[in-house]
Amino acid sequence: MWRSLLLLLGLLLLHQSCCFEFVVDGEWEDEEPGVHDHHERNKRATLTSQEEEDFQAIRGDDITVKSYKVESRITSRFAHTTISSLMMNSGSRAQSIGFSVQIPKRAFISNFTMNVNGITFVGLVKEKTVARRLYAQATSRNKAAAIVRTNSQDLETFNTEVHLPPGSNIEFELHYQEMMERRLGMYEHSLYLQPGRLVPQFQVDVYIYEPKGISKIETPNTLGEMFAELIKVTSTKDKAHVVFKPNVQQQRKCENCSGTAIDGVFSVKYDVTRDSNSGDLQVSDLYFVHFFAPSNLAPLPKNIVFVIDVSGSMWGVKMKQTVDAMKAILDDLNVEDRFSIIDFNHNVRCWREDLAPASPLQITDAKRYIQNIKPTGGTNINEALIRAAQMLVRASSQGFIDSRSVSMIILVSDGDPTVGEIKLSKIQKNVKRVMTDELSLFSLGIGFDVDYDFLERIAMENRGMAQRIYANHDAAEQIRAFYNQVSSPLLKKVTVHFPEGTVTEVTQNHFDKYFSGSELVVAGKVQLSETNTLTSFTSASTANLQLILETEADITELDMELAKQQHAFTGFARQMWAYLTIKQLLRERSMVTTVGKKRKITKQITELALQHNFVTPLTALLVESEDATERLLADSPRDPRQGCCSVVQPGPVSVVYATPPPWIQVPSLPTSRQAQSGPTETALPPNVNIVDNDPHFIIRLPRSNMDICFNIDSKPGHILSLVSDSGTGVVVNGQLISSKQPHKHKLSTYFGIISVYYQPEGVSVQVSTDHISMTDGRSSHSFTWGATADIVQDGVRISIVKNSHVTVTINNSIQVMVLLHRVWRKHPVNVDFLGLYIPNDNQYSPLVHGLIGQFSREPEVSVYDIHEGPDPLKKEATMEVKGHTLLVTRGWQKDYRHDTKRGSNVYCWFIHNSGKGFIDGRYSDYIMQDLNSFLQTV
């Protein structure tokens, strides 16, 4: 979203005294929009190329710049940036000195200080009318007024101008804060560097601290090849420091040049370590922030209708760039996707009346259609959007689209409606009426002739969002970049909730969709309680797949760590909560239709901004001298086509709102008891069959009240059939792995993978020591051991208990529990492995078999002639079973369900020779070809 940041600070020296008067003139928040005609409102909508070229951080003749320093402290994705400069008027006469900074649109200025010849000016955020009144008290004479407006794609300009006597020194210091937004898998921190001259002390420092760890960090070469070697990065597991400190000679354009080559964006990109898909919950100073960015999930299929404005105003470069972008987007569609194209001017045309599969033939034809479009005529947005929604609704009602899929409309337009229904509020109602809950609308507004406020409202109201496309930049690349953010939806209907009474004042916690490479962020306040742990539950769905993920955090641990960090931003959680809350309230304010509601939200925003020292559209920064006699004013004026709230810049498409505001709400827990308490740990009945360690089988015979043990001495890589039931369609197989090296001349084997396959639904669950994966023939999802989770799909339920065990339940009648054994990573012999626990009362069919499954039909067992053996601790006996007479030994094996380190003893009769005589056939009969294979008749 486009906004302008206005700051004109005038220091006028009167009669060689220290009396200053200042004024800022601009469009105030309480002015009525629409008082100027359409062309006047947009007369200064964009910077000219000359203005962009003329931008300099420091302006003035005979100015000696002693230093220019930038420091950013990023803690848990929240950045506090300080820009400071010290300079002197080296000329023989008084002159105006300018100090300008370009900052990200999404940032809030938090402070500005200035020292002029010993007079210190300190910034205070005030409610806008209060700031104007106090400022007016100091400006009763000779007012100096000007407006500075700038529009770039991601940056806004902060301008200061000071009239300085000869030989005088001045020091500027600007502070701003912003939340790092994850786009396409990376956070990017950008600093605009354009000093316009050589600086003796020039330095940029970026300090990053991420408590969970930094997985990667990059410094793209955006300033030019000559500076590539001067950017130094040092990093540890959880910290990074990026420094750029060129000396004067290194700053020069050439060896003998007097101009600086530093001119552009200094960028740092990074991502964080995520040990699970359940999210990262952090608590500091009794504020929490929950970051949710799962990966390794299969993308959902998409149904997209592209609605393209082809009115006369799109003629030329706009249309060419839109066509180029659409061709690239069409090439990126997946084979499972379905799409169509609607183009509109005063008429509405459809490339296809119904959705078409994204086959090579259809994509080629769609490209040809787009290429032949000739812009002309008016703009009928109303009918075009209604036709697009009806197309998607019809496809859904007729069963032509995948039930797992996500349906969306992407609108590209550069102007206001001029044909058909032209009243914006009426169009908004018409579109809302035809859009079902399953549809989302994304709006792209090209240039500044379009009413962006309307595009944003209509998108937000229909579970989407809007983005401005800047016509004086590469619009094609901007459109493609936006599409890339929404091209891989992974989850639908994501909700982050907390146990009742544990948190308050939670920001937006329900999201319609989650897109790959983005991040959902929820913040709030922690309620004090007897426990030191805060728990969150995240529920989501991918149509057939239902997830409940659990994570927790200690409420004091992070504060202790932050206190140890020299460059951490200790107030990050408090400020991030305020930042998110204000952003969301500003969005809500832009959508309300009654004066009363607007006034109430205005009060909320103002109070929060004053408490947290943020300059917003409803507050201003009053900069005054220590004795409060000299005052300056910083203001944030409106976007002329956006109404009151131009400060709100749309972020990456990670947050797509499912319901209209209000946004600030106490978290509402789902009605189901399971969602309120999080994932449910499934307890196994007392009688279970066990396969654990290397691998020891323990078969429980309930009728005989007896446990029988045997080992399987097979080879690493072999897959053993454990349960094979063609009647219910259930298969449980396990693949063996080996120890790192032999111990006492023996190479031990363990289960490294356990597979549970449910044939009727084609669902396969594979549990390894690294992760748990689920596939259904169409998609694949992966989960780590690092979080508690509950996943349900097509009658199969997977319950993961963090770093402990997984229980797979099929149709509430068959359970399989897989236990994780972790060993010291550097152990010379041992490896991580899995144990298997299967209840005796599983409801198999009479066809069940396998090394464990065959004992669902308990055999008759007789044990007699119990006598002392060679080992006095292990008696021997004779066993008769299945027509065989066997010599058995009394011993014990371990059940690790309740104590994963030491286990509990299970006393059993041990069958030698890999269970020969007790199992049907030989153990080699149970070796399978793959993890989902059924056992043939033994």
Side-chain angles (χ1 to χ4, degrees):
M1 181 190 298
W2 177 83
R3 65 167 175 148
S4 301
L5 181 65
L6 166 68
L7 182 60
L8 178 65
L9 306 174
L11 290 173
L12 302 176
L13 184 63
L14 301 179
H15 308 295
Q16 302 298 317
S17 70
C18 292
C19 180
F20 303 97
E21 295 181 346
F22 321 101
V23 68
V24 176
D25 189 18
E27 287 186 287
W28 289 91
E29 164 60 29
D30 55 359
E31 287 182 359
E32 289 297 325
V35 296
H36 308 294
D37 68 25
H38 175 82
H39 297 290
E40 283 297 313
R41 287 191 298 166
N42 294 277
K43 188 168 60 176
R44 291 286 292 132
T46 59
L47 284 176
T48 66
S49 58
Q50 184 62 45
E51 286 173 319
E52 289 184 328
E53 291 174 3
D54 289 345
F55 175 86
Q56 294 181 21
I58 300 166
R59 302 181 307 280
D61 299 324
D62 296 324
I63 300 299
T64 300
V65 181
K66 298 180 179 180
S67 68
Y68 190 94
K69 296 180 179 180
V70 182
E71 180 185 282
S72 288
R73 290 179 293 146
I74 304 172
T75 299
S76 296
R77 291 79 143 174
F78 198 76
H80 181 111
T81 300
T82 303
I83 302 174
S84 61
S85 182
L86 176 61
M87 60 190 77
M88 181 180 73
N89 181 1
S90 303
S92 58
R93 57 184 176 82
Q95 63 171 313
S96 292
I97 294 178
F99 173 71
S100 298
V101 176
Q102 289 199 317
I103 66 174
K105 284 182 181 291
R106 62 175 178 258
F108 284 145
I109 290 175
S110 56
N111 203 358
F112 175 72
T113 60
M114 186 171 63
N115 187 293
V116 185
N117 286 339
I119 300 177
T120 301
F121 292 84
V122 180
L124 295 172
V125 175
K126 302 281 187 181
E127 191 273 326
K128 192 165 279 191
T129 55
V130 173
R132 290 172 68 187
R133 186 175 66 251
L134 291 173
Y135 176 73
Q137 293 173 6
T139 57
S140 58
R141 300 173 309 201
N142 302 326
K143 298 181 180 180
I147 291 179
V148 179
R149 291 190 185 280
T150 61
N151 291 303
S152 64
Q153 184 171 349
D154 297 307
L155 300 168
E156 289 185 339
T157 300
F158 171 99
N159 283 329
T160 308
E161 194 161 309
V162 179
H163 198 74
L164 203 63
S168 298
N169 291 299
I170 185 166
E171 185 174 6
F172 300 99
E173 187 171 281
L174 175 72
H175 300 255
Y176 64 86
Q177 297 178 1
E178 61 179 317
M179 187 181 77
M180 298 291 94
E181 296 174 330
R182 191 167 184 256
R183 304 186 186 201
L184 302 176
M186 297 285 279
Y187 306 96
E188 183 171 11
H189 184 57
S190 297
L191 301 168
Y192 192 81
L193 306 178
Q194 197 175 25
R197 64 195 63 215
L198 302 175
V199 181
Q201 296 181 39
F202 186 97
Q203 184 166 341
V204 177
D205 291 284
V206 178
Y207 298 97
I208 303 172
Y209 174 61
E210 290 289 346
K212 293 295 184 180
I214 299 171
S215 61
K216 54 185 172 182
I217 184 167
E218 303 171 2
T219 53
N221 186 20
T222 52
L223 287 176
E225 290 292 338
M226 64 181 295
F227 296 118
E229 300 299 320
L230 299 180
I231 300 174
K232 305 298 182 183
V233 180
T234 56
S235 61
T236 61
K237 176 185 175 183
D238 54 6
K239 292 187 288 291
H241 178 207
V242 182
V243 62
F244 176 53
K245 190 179 180 181
N247 58 38
V248 171
Q249 188 60 34
Q250 290 167 333
Q251 296 173 39
R252 298 182 190 275
K253 289 184 178 179
C254 62
E255 186 174 354
N256 298 317
C257 292
S258 59
T260 179
I262 300 175
D263 182 4
V265 176
F266 180 85
S267 179
V268 177
K269 291 185 175 183
Y270 75 97
D271 201 17
V272 302
T273 302
R274 295 176 178 83
D275 55 9
S276 75
N277 272 345
S278 65
D280 177 13
L281 181 61
Q282 299 183 15
V283 181
S284 175
D285 195 24
L286 292 181
Y287 286 82
F288 76 85
V289 184
H290 181 95
F291 303 98
F292 184 66
S295 58
N296 298 318
L297 301 173
L300 298 168
K302 303 183 295 296
N303 313 299
I304 306 182
V305 178
F306 299 98
V307 180
I308 303 172
D309 184 347
V310 295
S311 60
S313 59
M314 287 287 288
W315 183 267
V317 175
K318 287 181 185 177
M319 195 69 240
K320 181 182 183 303
Q321 291 184 334
T322 301
V323 169
D324 290 345
M326 282 301 306
K327 287 180 178 179
I329 289 171
L330 290 172
D331 283 333
D332 287 340
L333 291 174
N334 298 320
V335 67
E336 288 186 314
D337 297 337
R338 302 179 74 85
F339 75 104
S340 190
I341 299 167
I342 292 176
D343 60 294
F344 69 95
N345 43 34
H346 50 283
N347 294 315
V348 176
R349 296 190 310 162
C350 299
W351 165 67
R352 292 281 187 274
E353 290 294 334
D354 294 299
L355 296 177
S359 65
L361 184 63
Q362 298 285 8
I363 289 174
T364 299
D365 188 63
K367 286 182 182 179
R368 188 181 305 115
Y369 178 85
I370 290 172
Q371 186 65 55
N372 291 330
I373 289 175
K374 304 299 182 187
T376 184
T379 307
N380 192 347
I381 292 178
N382 182 69
E383 186 180 346
L385 289 177
I386 290 174
R387 290 275 290 275
Q390 290 172 341
M391 185 183 296
L392 289 168
V393 171
R394 184 169 62 249
S396 177
S397 62
Q398 295 177 352
F400 291 155
I401 59 178
D402 193 323
S403 61
R404 302 174 303 142
S405 62
V406 169
S407 296
M408 61 181 75
I409 298 168
I410 297 181
L411 167 67
V412 181
S413 180
D414 77 330
D416 291 343
T418 60
V419 177
E421 180 60 65
I422 61 173
K423 189 176 181 181
L424 299 184
S425 60
K426 183 65 174 176
I427 296 174
Q428 194 172 332
K429 290 179 181 178
N430 291 343
V431 174
K432 178 68 175 176
R433 188 181 65 252
V434 296
M435 293 281 286
T436 66
D437 291 341
E438 297 302 315
L439 307 185
S440 297
L441 170 62
F442 298 95
S443 303
L444 298 178
I446 300 180
F448 291 87
D449 290 332
V450 66
D451 191 317
Y452 184 77
D453 188 38
F454 163 69
L455 291 184
E456 185 178 49
R457 284 199 311 272
I458 200 170
M460 290 172 59
E461 194 173 43
N462 292 286
R463 296 158 295 281
M465 68 180 301
Q467 181 161 313
R468 172 124 33 210
I469 302 299
Y470 294 84
N472 57 333
H473 291 72
D474 185 357
E477 180 56 35
Q478 294 174 57
I479 295 171
R480 287 198 298 269
F482 178 86
Y483 172 77
N484 287 339
Q485 294 180 63
V486 301
S487 63
S488 293
L490 299 185
L491 293 172
K492 299 193 295 186
K493 304 195 181 307
V494 182
T495 303
V496 180
H497 27 236
F498 300 82
E500 187 175 355
T502 61
V503 296
T504 61
E505 298 187 56
V506 178
T507 61
Q508 174 70 14
N509 67 335
H510 182 67
F511 310 93
D512 192 58
K513 298 176 184 67
Y514 167 75
F515 294 93
S516 177
S518 64
E519 184 171 64
L520 306 179
V521 183
V522 179
K525 297 180 179 180
V526 179
Q527 292 281 78
L528 285 174
S529 64
E530 295 179 357
T531 178
N532 278 339
T533 301
L534 177 66
T535 303
S536 71
F537 306 113
T538 304
S539 60
S541 67
T542 62
N544 296 330
L545 187 70
Q546 302 294 324
L547 305 176
I548 298 180
L549 307 169
E550 176 185 339
T551 189
E552 60 183 28
D554 187 287
I555 65 174
T556 60
E557 184 178 1
L558 181 55
D559 283 331
M560 291 187 289
E561 286 299 316
L562 288 171
K564 302 174 186 177
Q565 307 301 324
Q566 181 181 358
H567 298 289
F569 178 32
T570 54
F572 85 91
R574 179 179 183 270
Q575 291 300 95
M576 186 178 288
W577 169 79
Y579 177 96
L580 288 171
T581 303
I582 291 172
K583 292 284 187 180
Q584 293 172 0
L585 283 170
L586 285 168
R587 291 179 185 272
E588 179 185 352
R589 188 177 184 275
S590 71
M591 295 176 64
V592 296
T593 56
T594 65
V595 174
K597 289 181 179 179
K598 188 172 185 178
R599 195 171 289 143
K600 181 180 178 181
I601 297 170
T602 298
K603 182 180 178 183
Q604 288 179 276
I605 295 170
T606 302
E607 289 175 351
L608 275 174
L610 296 180
Q611 291 171 14
H612 296 267
N613 225 52
F614 284 149
V615 178
T616 72
L618 308 177
T619 54
L621 186 68
L622 184 71
V623 186
E624 62 183 15
S625 60
E626 292 174 335
D627 60 4
T629 58
E630 319 299 345
R631 292 186 175 122
L632 307 88
L633 193 64
D635 180 30
S636 161
R638 300 178 305 184
D639 180 334
R641 289 306 308 274
Q642 263 201 304
C644 64
C645 296
S646 62
V647 73
V648 187
Q649 169 71 4
V653 187
S654 60
V655 181
V656 181
Y657 307 105
T659 56
W663 303 66
I664 310 308
Q665 54 183 300
V666 176
S668 56
L669 299 177
T671 55
S672 72
R673 179 175 299 176
Q674 179 190 12
Q676 291 183 23
S677 59
T680 302
E681 183 174 348
T682 306
L684 295 181
N687 291 327
V688 295
N689 299 303
I690 301 172
V691 189
D692 217 322
N693 223 304
D694 59 342
H696 304 311
F697 285 71
I698 306 174
I699 303 300
R700 177 66 180 168
L701 302 179
R703 287 207 316 266
S704 304
N705 193 25
M706 185 184 303
D707 291 290
I708 309 297
C709 301
F710 59 90
N711 296 342
I712 295 294
D713 295 321
S714 194
K715 297 179 180 180
H718 279 177
I719 297 172
L720 300 180
S721 173
L722 304 172
V723 176
S724 179
D725 187 1
S726 58
T728 60
V730 174
V731 171
V732 182
N733 291 333
Q735 186 168 30
L736 296 172
I737 58 174
S738 70
S739 56
K740 295 175 183 176
Q741 58 184 359
H743 178 62
K744 295 182 179 180
H745 308 291
K746 181 181 182 297
L747 189 67
S748 299
T749 56
Y750 311 86
F751 279 120
I753 299 176
I754 299 293
S755 174
V756 182
Y757 177 53
Y758 184 41
Q759 187 186 44
E761 298 294 343
V763 176
S764 174
V765 180
Q766 290 190 7
V767 182
S768 73
T769 56
D770 295 324
H771 62 273
I772 302 99
S773 64
M774 168 187 270
T775 59
D776 61 3
R778 297 174 296 181
S779 58
S780 178
H781 312 280
S782 181
F783 305 89
T784 72
W785 284 96
T788 298
D790 207 51
I791 304 106
V792 180
Q793 177 172 344
D794 298 328
V796 178
R797 178 174 179 174
I798 307 172
S799 299
I800 305 171
V801 176
K802 181 179 179 180
N803 294 324
S804 177
H805 62 270
V806 176
T807 302
V808 181
T809 306
I810 299 174
N811 288 335
N812 294 320
S813 60
I814 296 175
Q815 282 186 322
V816 178
M817 189 181 91
V818 181
L819 190 67
L820 174 66
H821 292 273
R822 292 282 193 215
V823 301
W824 181 40
R825 188 170 297 177
K826 295 182 180 180
H827 196 286
V829 177
N830 296 341
V831 294
D832 295 345
F833 64 95
L834 303 173
L836 184 69
Y837 296 75
I838 301 179
N840 284 80
D841 60 0
N842 276 350
Q843 298 173 30
Y844 303 117
S845 79
L847 302 177
V848 66
H849 212 281
L851 287 168
I852 293 176
Q854 62 187 288
F855 296 105
S856 67
R857 300 176 295 275
E858 183 175 329
E860 294 294 329
V861 176
S862 175
V863 178
Y864 57 90
D865 189 23
I866 301 174
H867 57 273
E868 297 291 332
D871 185 342
L873 297 178
K874 297 182 179 180
K875 294 184 178 182
E876 292 185 342
T878 300
M879 176 183 288
E880 289 188 358
V881 59
K882 295 183 179 181
H884 301 285
T885 302
L886 308 174
L887 177 65
V888 295
T889 303
R890 189 65 171 172
W892 62 87
Q893 297 295 349
K894 294 286 188 179
D895 179 344
Y896 292 96
R897 281 179 294 170
H898 305 296
D899 186 344
T900 57
K901 291 185 177 180
R902 292 179 295 272
S904 57
N905 291 335
V906 177
Y907 292 92
C908 59
W909 290 106
F910 184 78
I911 311 290
H912 301 275
N913 300 319
S914 295
K916 185 177 180 181
F918 183 66
I919 63 174
D920 295 338
R922 300 174 58 87
Y923 87 85
S924 57
D925 297 331
Y926 298 86
I927 298 176
M928 312 304 297
Q929 291 298 312
D930 62 66
L931 285 165
N932 291 342
S933 293
F934 282 88
L935 177 68
Q936 302 304 312
T937 304
V938 176

